[in-house]
Amino acid sequence: MKLTGGQIIVDHLIREGVERVFAIPGHGNTALLDAFVDRRGEIEVVPAMHEQGAAHMADGYYRASGKVAVACTSIGPGATNTLTGLATAFADSMPLLLITGAVHTYMENRGVLQEIDRPHGNNFPRMAEPVVKRWWQPSRVDQLPAVLHQAFNTILEGRRGPVLIDVPQDLQAELGEHEPVEPLARRAHGRVAPDPSAVAAAADLLVRARRPVILAGGGVIAAEASAELVAVAERLGAPVTHSFMGKGAIPADHELYAWPCGDMGSIPGNAMTRGADAILAVGCRFSDRITSSYRPGVTFSIPPAKLVQIDIDGFEIGRNYPVEVGIVGDAKASLAALLAALAERADNRSPDYLAELRDLKAQWDEHLRSMRTTDHRPMTNSRALVEIRRALPREGILVTDSSNPANQAFNEFPIYGPRTNIVAGGMSGIGFGVPAAIGAQVAAPDTPVLALVGDGSFLQTGTELATAAMLGLPLVVVVLNNGGWEAIKDLQINLFGPDRKINTAFERRGSEPYFADVAALARSLGCAGERVEDPAELAPAVERAFATDGPVVIEAMSARELPWSLMHPTGWWDITVPAYLGKTRDDYVAKRGF
Ligand SMILES: Cc1ncc(C[n+]2csc(CCOP(=O)(O)OP(=O)(O)O)c2C)c(N)n1
Ligand SMILES: [Mg+2]
């Protein structure tokens, strides 16, 4: 059968079960987009306003649903605008297929409009190379079927991640021979099973431990291994802490939930990991954020604590801490095998261990109480989080990106199930929240989705709400408006000194505080927009928003000054202090510990 390259691509996406393509048109991909016209009803093209937004939407769509979406852009700036989206998906191992337009094969290297042409023609893939698992730039139409099945295999196999297919414009338009490939006929079945002897060694170690702790990473969510994780935790009587990506692996109201660990972590999370004699880490790469920048004894004490590490990617095993047992395998298959091995072994946990966890959780509640209950205006983030949790149903999805809104949600906001907490984990990029929430809402139209972002984040990508307005999505966005890059301002003041803030408070002509009128901006895009100043009004506003047909932005005026703006980290973060800052710098260097 003869089809154009564009038709071959669209046909393959439909065969793979792809339902949504988040796209921005340009001359570089019009021939491809045209091929969707005759397949309307089978696959939907969703508009985005910026290509970063298109990539984050496709990413958020996957994070909410586990279904792969595609982002499609033009050539040149249309392609380069996706790089932050790719990097975000890559850091968090999220499958995403990006299809970009490229210069016609017969004009490559001439420096045509929007060609990235030096030092090599048609060079966008090399810009993307560090943030994709693999890229293709086919030069003949008949390569496309093979490229497409390789692309899907690559994003789905092992540790997942984004890929790029950069398609020259002539290939999109010209006919080629197409023998449709049945996708599953070229895909591995089942899960990567762990080595049984390693599982036995892990079970021996864990049953002997007196203070075992489980650390859940994004791999648990990716492998849909929450049930197995909880079963292993219950079998061991082990508290469960987690990374940014692992949040939701165990419900927050489970008695073994220990809240997060790390520099932005909680009292119970850090105390349990610090005092553990054995750690079972699952699908977690031990980034600086959950290890207190590797400072010994703050979050982890490995050694002497013994580490059992399960990961689908052998590269991660032992990368940051030495392992007693390293297991390469899928998280679900590995935890199921571990559970079976544990069933044959008796353990020796003291009943005091769980009482200690309960006590630490009570301390954490007490620690947060004043910031959570205060009526202070502008409101604290802690209070806002309490009010939002009140209004967001248990199965609702919270989407955050970075800064205090995301970090405090990580540490303070209860989440009850996998895929209901979406966050830009490894990249921690502001600007992810709104478009990722749009993608999540497209994937789960009947689930309440709430994006919680700062005003700085909103000013980066809030214009993607035009898409939400066009689609009539019932999305709710809460913008914590404090007129600046508050997290960084607080960091400057706390770390460098009270007189050292620079470039972090939004100011009109360098003096008066500046606040973007976020609610008005939202209304201009076709959303409902409301400003809330009284924290007691926030939960009712969110409830009203969920009852509204179409997108609603709630601008919650939030604290701009310490101590009200402060989050509550209990770990340590390695932020470098300039050498001329004397004792401040000396104290920091002395603490680093290595
Ligand atoms: C894309 C991107 N640029 C810069 C940063 C660095 N950064 C981290 S937090 C932050 C401040 C964010 O301000 P806002 O979204 O208003 O949240 P706030 O801290 O004020 O609550 C910045 C600029 C980042 N994480 N991502
Ligand atoms: Mg702000």
PDB file of all heavy atoms in Angstrom, residues 537-553:
ATOM      1  N   GLU A 537     -11.433  31.657  52.811  1.00  0.00           N
ATOM      2  CA  GLU A 537     -12.239  31.669  51.580  1.00  0.00           C
ATOM      3  C   GLU A 537     -11.691  30.726  50.505  1.00  0.00           C
ATOM      4  O   GLU A 537     -12.326  30.535  49.467  1.00  0.00           O
ATOM      5  CB  GLU A 537     -12.271  33.097  51.000  1.00  0.00           C
ATOM      6  CG  GLU A 537     -13.143  34.057  51.773  1.00  0.00           C
ATOM      7  CD  GLU A 537     -14.582  33.561  51.804  1.00  0.00           C
ATOM      8  OE1 GLU A 537     -15.085  33.162  50.735  1.00  0.00           O
ATOM      9  OE2 GLU A 537     -15.159  33.532  52.896  1.00  0.00           O
ATOM     10  N   LEU A 538     -10.501  30.173  50.759  1.00  0.00           N
ATOM     11  CA  LEU A 538      -9.866  29.407  49.678  1.00  0.00           C
ATOM     12  C   LEU A 538     -10.586  28.086  49.389  1.00  0.00           C
ATOM     13  O   LEU A 538     -10.879  27.781  48.225  1.00  0.00           O
ATOM     14  CB  LEU A 538      -8.376  29.178  49.996  1.00  0.00           C
ATOM     15  CG  LEU A 538      -7.563  28.478  48.914  1.00  0.00           C
ATOM     16  CD1 LEU A 538      -7.673  29.186  47.568  1.00  0.00           C
ATOM     17  CD2 LEU A 538      -6.086  28.365  49.333  1.00  0.00           C
ATOM     18  N   ALA A 539     -10.868  27.302  50.446  1.00  0.00           N
ATOM     19  CA  ALA A 539     -11.535  26.006  50.196  1.00  0.00           C
ATOM     20  C   ALA A 539     -12.881  26.213  49.498  1.00  0.00           C
ATOM     21  O   ALA A 539     -13.159  25.530  48.491  1.00  0.00           O
ATOM     22  CB  ALA A 539     -11.689  25.214  51.491  1.00  0.00           C
ATOM     23  N   PRO A 540     -13.738  27.145  49.976  1.00  0.00           N
ATOM     24  CA  PRO A 540     -15.007  27.357  49.242  1.00  0.00           C
ATOM     25  C   PRO A 540     -14.771  27.787  47.794  1.00  0.00           C
ATOM     26  O   PRO A 540     -15.507  27.360  46.895  1.00  0.00           O
ATOM     27  CB  PRO A 540     -15.692  28.482  50.030  1.00  0.00           C
ATOM     28  CG  PRO A 540     -15.061  28.479  51.378  1.00  0.00           C
ATOM     29  CD  PRO A 540     -13.686  27.926  51.229  1.00  0.00           C
ATOM     30  N   ALA A 541     -13.743  28.600  47.552  1.00  0.00           N
ATOM     31  CA  ALA A 541     -13.464  29.032  46.178  1.00  0.00           C
ATOM     32  C   ALA A 541     -13.067  27.841  45.307  1.00  0.00           C
ATOM     33  O   ALA A 541     -13.487  27.731  44.146  1.00  0.00           O
ATOM     34  CB  ALA A 541     -12.364  30.093  46.170  1.00  0.00           C
ATOM     35  N   VAL A 542     -12.261  26.940  45.863  1.00  0.00           N
ATOM     36  CA  VAL A 542     -11.848  25.759  45.091  1.00  0.00           C
ATOM     37  C   VAL A 542     -13.059  24.862  44.833  1.00  0.00           C
ATOM     38  O   VAL A 542     -13.228  24.330  43.726  1.00  0.00           O
ATOM     39  CB  VAL A 542     -10.716  24.990  45.815  1.00  0.00           C
ATOM     40  CG1 VAL A 542     -10.399  23.682  45.092  1.00  0.00           C
ATOM     41  CG2 VAL A 542      -9.460  25.854  45.915  1.00  0.00           C
ATOM     42  N   GLU A 543     -13.910  24.706  45.841  1.00  0.00           N
ATOM     43  CA  GLU A 543     -15.119  23.885  45.644  1.00  0.00           C
ATOM     44  C   GLU A 543     -16.004  24.480  44.545  1.00  0.00           C
ATOM     45  O   GLU A 543     -16.485  23.763  43.669  1.00  0.00           O
ATOM     46  CB  GLU A 543     -15.905  23.770  46.948  1.00  0.00           C
ATOM     47  CG  GLU A 543     -15.360  22.674  47.838  1.00  0.00           C
ATOM     48  CD  GLU A 543     -15.810  22.794  49.289  1.00  0.00           C
ATOM     49  OE1 GLU A 543     -16.751  23.572  49.563  1.00  0.00           O
ATOM     50  OE2 GLU A 543     -15.193  22.123  50.133  1.00  0.00           O
ATOM     51  N   ARG A 544     -16.182  25.795  44.609  1.00  0.00           N
ATOM     52  CA  ARG A 544     -16.977  26.462  43.553  1.00  0.00           C
ATOM     53  C   ARG A 544     -16.332  26.243  42.191  1.00  0.00           C
ATOM     54  O   ARG A 544     -17.003  25.986  41.193  1.00  0.00           O
ATOM     55  CB  ARG A 544     -17.033  27.974  43.815  1.00  0.00           C
ATOM     56  CG  ARG A 544     -18.149  28.443  44.726  1.00  0.00           C
ATOM     57  CD  ARG A 544     -18.374  29.951  44.584  1.00  0.00           C
ATOM     58  NE  ARG A 544     -17.193  30.785  44.710  1.00  0.00           N
ATOM     59  CZ  ARG A 544     -16.635  31.136  45.873  1.00  0.00           C
ATOM     60  NH1 ARG A 544     -17.145  30.706  47.012  1.00  0.00           N
ATOM     61  NH2 ARG A 544     -15.554  31.905  45.903  1.00  0.00           N
ATOM     62  N   ALA A 545     -15.017  26.318  42.163  1.00  0.00           N
ATOM     63  CA  ALA A 545     -14.300  26.158  40.891  1.00  0.00           C
ATOM     64  C   ALA A 545     -14.527  24.762  40.319  1.00  0.00           C
ATOM     65  O   ALA A 545     -14.742  24.604  39.115  1.00  0.00           O
ATOM     66  CB  ALA A 545     -12.809  26.421  41.095  1.00  0.00           C
ATOM     67  N   PHE A 546     -14.503  23.753  41.191  1.00  0.00           N
ATOM     68  CA  PHE A 546     -14.738  22.389  40.697  1.00  0.00           C
ATOM     69  C   PHE A 546     -16.167  22.209  40.198  1.00  0.00           C
ATOM     70  O   PHE A 546     -16.436  21.349  39.373  1.00  0.00           O
ATOM     71  CB  PHE A 546     -14.399  21.346  41.773  1.00  0.00           C
ATOM     72  CG  PHE A 546     -12.922  21.031  41.838  1.00  0.00           C
ATOM     73  CD1 PHE A 546     -12.222  21.106  43.026  1.00  0.00           C
ATOM     74  CD2 PHE A 546     -12.228  20.662  40.686  1.00  0.00           C
ATOM     75  CE1 PHE A 546     -10.862  20.822  43.083  1.00  0.00           C
ATOM     76  CE2 PHE A 546     -10.866  20.367  40.731  1.00  0.00           C
ATOM     77  CZ  PHE A 546     -10.184  20.449  41.937  1.00  0.00           C
ATOM     78  N   ALA A 547     -17.058  23.019  40.706  1.00  0.00           N
ATOM     79  CA  ALA A 547     -18.464  22.915  40.265  1.00  0.00           C
ATOM     80  C   ALA A 547     -18.724  23.739  39.008  1.00  0.00           C
ATOM     81  O   ALA A 547     -19.825  23.735  38.467  1.00  0.00           O
ATOM     82  CB  ALA A 547     -19.383  23.371  41.394  1.00  0.00           C
ATOM     83  N   THR A 548     -17.685  24.456  38.539  1.00  0.00           N
ATOM     84  CA  THR A 548     -17.846  25.321  37.368  1.00  0.00           C
ATOM     85  C   THR A 548     -17.524  24.545  36.095  1.00  0.00           C
ATOM     86  O   THR A 548     -16.619  23.710  36.083  1.00  0.00           O
ATOM     87  CB  THR A 548     -16.878  26.527  37.480  1.00  0.00           C
ATOM     88  OG1 THR A 548     -17.133  27.187  38.709  1.00  0.00           O
ATOM     89  CG2 THR A 548     -17.041  27.495  36.329  1.00  0.00           C
ATOM     90  N   ASP A 549     -18.259  24.854  35.056  1.00  0.00           N
ATOM     91  CA  ASP A 549     -18.005  24.233  33.767  1.00  0.00           C
ATOM     92  C   ASP A 549     -16.901  25.043  33.082  1.00  0.00           C
ATOM     93  O   ASP A 549     -17.137  26.196  32.737  1.00  0.00           O
ATOM     94  CB  ASP A 549     -19.319  24.315  32.978  1.00  0.00           C
ATOM     95  CG  ASP A 549     -19.321  23.375  31.807  1.00  0.00           C
ATOM     96  OD1 ASP A 549     -18.489  22.453  31.817  1.00  0.00           O
ATOM     97  OD2 ASP A 549     -20.140  23.583  30.901  1.00  0.00           O
ATOM     98  N   GLY A 550     -15.743  24.495  32.902  1.00  0.00           N
ATOM     99  CA  GLY A 550     -14.659  25.247  32.256  1.00  0.00           C
ATOM    100  C   GLY A 550     -13.572  25.614  33.249  1.00  0.00           C
ATOM    101  O   GLY A 550     -13.741  25.472  34.461  1.00  0.00           O
ATOM    102  N   PRO A 551     -12.434  26.079  32.745  1.00  0.00           N
ATOM    103  CA  PRO A 551     -11.281  26.328  33.613  1.00  0.00           C
ATOM    104  C   PRO A 551     -11.438  27.549  34.515  1.00  0.00           C
ATOM    105  O   PRO A 551     -11.991  28.566  34.100  1.00  0.00           O
ATOM    106  CB  PRO A 551     -10.137  26.554  32.616  1.00  0.00           C
ATOM    107  CG  PRO A 551     -10.793  26.943  31.341  1.00  0.00           C
ATOM    108  CD  PRO A 551     -12.158  26.341  31.331  1.00  0.00           C
ATOM    109  N   VAL A 552     -10.941  27.414  35.738  1.00  0.00           N
ATOM    110  CA  VAL A 552     -11.016  28.491  36.718  1.00  0.00           C
ATOM    111  C   VAL A 552      -9.622  28.714  37.309  1.00  0.00           C
ATOM    112  O   VAL A 552      -8.946  27.755  37.679  1.00  0.00           O
ATOM    113  CB  VAL A 552     -11.985  28.137  37.873  1.00  0.00           C
ATOM    114  CG1 VAL A 552     -12.052  29.289  38.883  1.00  0.00           C
ATOM    115  CG2 VAL A 552     -13.370  27.811  37.345  1.00  0.00           C
ATOM    116  N   VAL A 553      -9.226  29.971  37.389  1.00  0.00           N
ATOM    117  CA  VAL A 553      -7.965  30.314  38.041  1.00  0.00           C
ATOM    118  C   VAL A 553      -8.277  31.060  39.326  1.00  0.00           C
ATOM    119  O   VAL A 553      -9.012  32.052  39.314  1.00  0.00           O
ATOM    120  CB  VAL A 553      -7.081  31.183  37.126  1.00  0.00           C
ATOM    121  CG1 VAL A 553      -5.820  31.644  37.870  1.00  0.00           C
ATOM    122  CG2 VAL A 553      -6.699  30.402  35.873  1.00  0.00           C
TER     123      VAL A 553
END
